[in-house]
Amino acid sequence: MRLISFKQTASAAAVSAALFASAVSAETVLRVIPHADLKNLDPIWTTAYISRNHGYLIYDTLFSMDESFTPQPQMVDSWTVSDDGMEWTFVLRDGLLFHDGSPVTSEDVVASLERWGKRDGMGQQLFTNLGSLEAVDDKTVSLKLASPFSLVLEALGKISSNVPFIMPKEVAMTDPFEQITDYTGSGPFVFQADEWVPGSQVVYTKFADYVPRGEPASAASGGKIAGVDKVIWTYFPDQTTAMNALMAGEVDFFESPSNDLMPILSSNPDVVVEVNDPLGNIGFARFNHLLPPFDDVAVRQAAIMAMKQEDYLAAAFGSQDFWMTCYSVYPCGTPYASEVASDGIKTGSTDAAAAALAATGYDGTPVVIMQPTDVPALSVFSLVTAEKLRAAGFTVELQAMDWSTLTSRRALRDPVEEGGWNMFHTWWIGADVIDPMAIAFSGDPAAGWFGWPEDTELEAARKAFAVALTGEEKKAQATKAQERLWTIGASGQLGQFFVPVAYRNTVKGLIKSPVQFFWNITVE
């Protein structure tokens, strides 16, 4: 049995004290333009990044990823693991409180992880190999595997959707396929439900009793210090209005400005424009595998053949400084990236797609594409797909809506006539789809991601990846999973791109990470 301890050192405590001293305490506010409207408040029920960002403000995690994607303890003080890796014991650190003043206990942890494990791709794999997960005492959690699983800490510390946030036990007992209604967390900020105005404003206030770790912040890990008293998200559906608000100093931070605004923003000496995520994002065109016409794999493959990545990326992002083609389901430049079985997405020809579609006997069933008009890149992706599919012979119906409506509607498995859908576009940050564990790559329609493909060979490869002990074995299973994803036409991959953030030069302490965090930031 190995004991792993992460006690705070005197020097780490000094770092924490210095960070506290630097934080302005007199009713300071960080005003943010988020990338979307916050409508769904449960970051376990949905993978939407706006809900994930909301979650990081108000919840905490057992482990968290640092900037090198190495899991570090967050709510955990120390832990032991047996020599065979089958038994783990975690001890919570002192001072963990929920926003209502109640202590965080191991029973809260167990209930939270059980709920998360039913919705998240990596969580599902962990629980498939789990023997037991129990509260030993108020601060100690025992995890025992029934079969080997090589990614325990990586699962508990995953950086993005779905994040294994810890909630009170009573909240975590909510059916994972229903949304929670109590938003009590234990993170550095408190969600002010009475000030939430959907479509307009979200308010978070500093949690005075939060005890941050002593280590310096590194991505999601280290000391989460509330450097302002309030974080206010103000939703702007119009990009130009949002840009003008930033340039006028009415807001401090613009999370996802469209690329065509970059020259104007960059010319303002009071505004900083930069890319915070070196891996970037992967564009997805997601099919609904349950409904015609995309319940036919040949029809899905024909649609993919029409998707020329350069056309999508140039239309959405302009200068090639912000994008590159990538014919891997995993981000290019990462360990499992390859072009295995990617001939379909490389075709990029509406003529070839038309010939392939004609061979399927397609009967003209309309393709309903949900178009989020308030997210510029996804709105453009939707328009490009509509044009390409029509050129290939599909009947297409674009339905305009905001992103928050789309993220609710995509959960429906109903027929189109009853609110269902055939396609939507999204992106995943590269860190979310770096290996087959991503829920985006699930082949289990019962527990998988929206679109619900079914493929037993894909699921076998994902399970084999989860238990593989060598890099060579993991690479082989990742390749097999990619082969199956392309073979079944799970999604159309639209390339790799980078979205800068823009903020006033009075904003200090921004953390470099694939996820936008709002702790450790001060406003001068």
Side-chain angles (χ1 to χ4, degrees):
M1 186 76 70
R2 290 170 282 152
L3 171 66
I4 297 92
S5 181
F6 220 91
K7 302 288 186 182
Q8 296 184 7
T9 64
S11 60
V15 171
S16 180
L19 285 169
F20 268 124
S22 68
V24 182
S25 59
E27 197 58 26
T28 53
V29 180
L30 174 66
R31 300 182 184 277
V32 175
I33 302 171
H35 70 268
D37 177 32
L38 179 67
K39 184 174 183 179
N40 302 305
L41 299 178
D42 186 347
I44 304 303
W45 179 84
T46 180
T47 56
Y49 288 154
I50 191 67
S51 303
R52 175 206 63 193
N53 292 2
H54 159 80
Y56 264 118
L57 278 160
I58 67 174
Y59 300 114
D60 219 340
T61 57
L62 294 184
F63 288 81
S64 52
M65 291 293 179
D66 65 18
E67 60 189 14
S68 65
F69 294 99
T70 301
Q72 303 293 348
Q74 189 57 237
M75 300 175 79
V76 165
D77 179 48
S78 62
W79 69 101
T80 60
V81 55
S82 62
D83 291 338
D84 62 3
M86 297 294 286
E87 298 185 12
W88 299 73
T89 301
F90 304 101
V91 179
L92 299 177
R93 61 189 179 95
D94 294 334
L96 299 179
L97 295 175
F98 285 114
H99 297 154
D100 61 5
S102 61
V104 178
T105 71
S106 54
E107 289 190 353
D108 301 311
V109 170
V110 170
S112 296
L113 293 181
E114 287 178 340
R115 184 171 190 261
W116 161 79
K118 293 179 173 67
R119 294 306 304 260
D120 178 70
M122 187 173 279
Q124 290 168 356
Q125 296 297 333
L126 170 61
F127 275 79
T128 295
N129 294 279
L130 192 67
S132 64
L133 180 67
E134 299 176 342
V136 177
D137 57 38
D138 283 350
K139 293 182 62 176
T140 308
V141 177
S142 169
L143 183 156
K144 296 180 181 180
L145 296 171
S147 53
F149 183 76
S150 61
L151 302 168
V152 172
L153 297 187
E154 288 81 357
L156 298 180
K158 69 177 303 227
I159 195 169
S160 191
S161 300
N162 301 90
V163 179
F165 292 121
I166 303 304
M167 302 176 178
K169 177 182 177 181
E170 311 79 61
V171 178
M173 294 299 290
T174 303
D175 184 327
F177 293 90
E178 300 290 337
Q179 294 203 58
I180 60 173
T181 56
D182 181 331
Y183 313 109
T184 304
S186 66
F189 290 91
V190 180
F191 171 62
Q192 299 299 322
D194 59 342
E195 297 185 62
W196 174 43
V197 182
S200 179
Q201 177 179 273
V202 193
V203 178
Y204 305 90
T205 57
K206 178 180 178 178
F207 179 36
D209 292 328
Y210 181 76
V211 180
R213 296 193 67 90
E215 301 84 30
S218 175
S221 71
K224 299 179 179 179
I225 296 174
V228 294
D229 293 298
K230 283 185 179 181
V231 177
I232 298 178
W233 289 0
T234 304
Y235 174 60
F236 285 80
D238 179 72
Q239 284 267 314
T240 301
T241 304
M243 176 189 70
N244 290 335
L246 179 70
M247 294 178 69
E250 296 167 4
V251 294
D252 306 299
F253 186 93
F254 190 175
E255 186 184 357
S256 186
S258 61
N259 284 54
D260 61 341
L261 301 180
M262 292 299 109
I264 301 173
L265 289 168
S266 298
S267 69
N268 188 316
D270 297 323
V271 173
V272 178
V273 177
E274 63 185 10
V275 173
N276 277 339
D277 179 9
L279 282 184
N281 309 281
I282 308 299
F284 268 61
R286 187 65 163 180
F287 304 112
N288 187 337
H289 292 234
L290 303 182
L291 300 181
F294 294 131
D295 56 344
D296 184 338
V297 61
V299 175
R300 297 194 298 270
Q301 290 171 337
I304 290 172
M305 292 173 67
M307 297 176 184
K308 186 175 182 180
Q309 289 186 355
E310 292 92 336
D311 293 343
Y312 286 90
L313 297 168
F317 305 110
S319 170
Q320 198 167 353
D321 292 342
F322 296 107
W323 59 266
M324 63 183 183
T325 58
C326 179
Y327 302 114
S328 168
V329 300
Y330 315 113
C332 289
T334 60
Y336 304 117
S338 76
E339 295 189 1
V340 169
S342 63
D343 289 345
I345 192 64
K346 287 181 178 179
T347 302
S349 166
T350 54
D351 289 341
L357 182 64
T360 70
Y362 169 67
D363 62 1
T365 298
V367 173
V368 171
I369 300 176
M370 297 189 290
Q371 179 193 9
T373 54
D374 59 337
V375 182
L378 300 185
S379 183
V380 170
F381 283 175
S382 303
L383 292 170
V384 174
T385 290
E387 178 183 354
K388 289 184 175 297
L389 293 191
R390 285 171 179 146
F394 286 90
T395 303
V396 177
E397 178 184 342
L398 274 173
Q399 294 187 359
M401 62 196 70
D402 59 32
W403 176 246
S404 62
T405 298
L406 188 154
T407 58
S408 296
R409 186 172 162 188
R410 70 182 180 179
L412 300 177
R413 301 188 186 218
D414 301 328
V416 168
E417 298 77 16
E418 299 175 22
W421 54 275
N422 298 117
M423 285 187 74
F424 71 91
H425 298 76
T426 189
W427 70 69
W428 290 87
I429 64 170
D432 267 339
V433 288
I434 205 166
D435 62 43
M437 294 295 92
I439 192 67
F441 299 146
S442 173
D444 176 0
W449 192 52
F450 315 109
W452 311 289
E454 180 174 11
D455 189 71
T456 56
E457 291 184 55
L458 171 58
E459 282 301 283
R462 296 176 73 236
K463 287 180 172 62
F465 179 92
V467 301
L469 298 178
T470 69
E472 184 178 353
E473 291 172 335
K474 287 186 180 296
K475 176 71 173 178
Q477 296 305 325
T479 300
K480 178 63 176 176
Q482 171 162 310
E483 180 183 5
R484 293 307 305 167
L485 286 162
W486 283 131
T487 298
I488 67 172
S491 305
Q493 312 290 98
L494 305 181
Q496 199 161 338
F497 60 92
F498 306 86
V499 178
V501 297
Y503 56 92
R504 304 285 298 180
N505 58 16
T506 52
V507 173
K508 307 297 181 182
L510 193 67
I511 298 170
K512 302 287 186 180
S513 169
V515 177
Q516 183 55 59
F517 302 122
F518 296 104
W519 55 77
N520 288 64
I521 294 177
T522 60
V523 180
E524 295 181 346

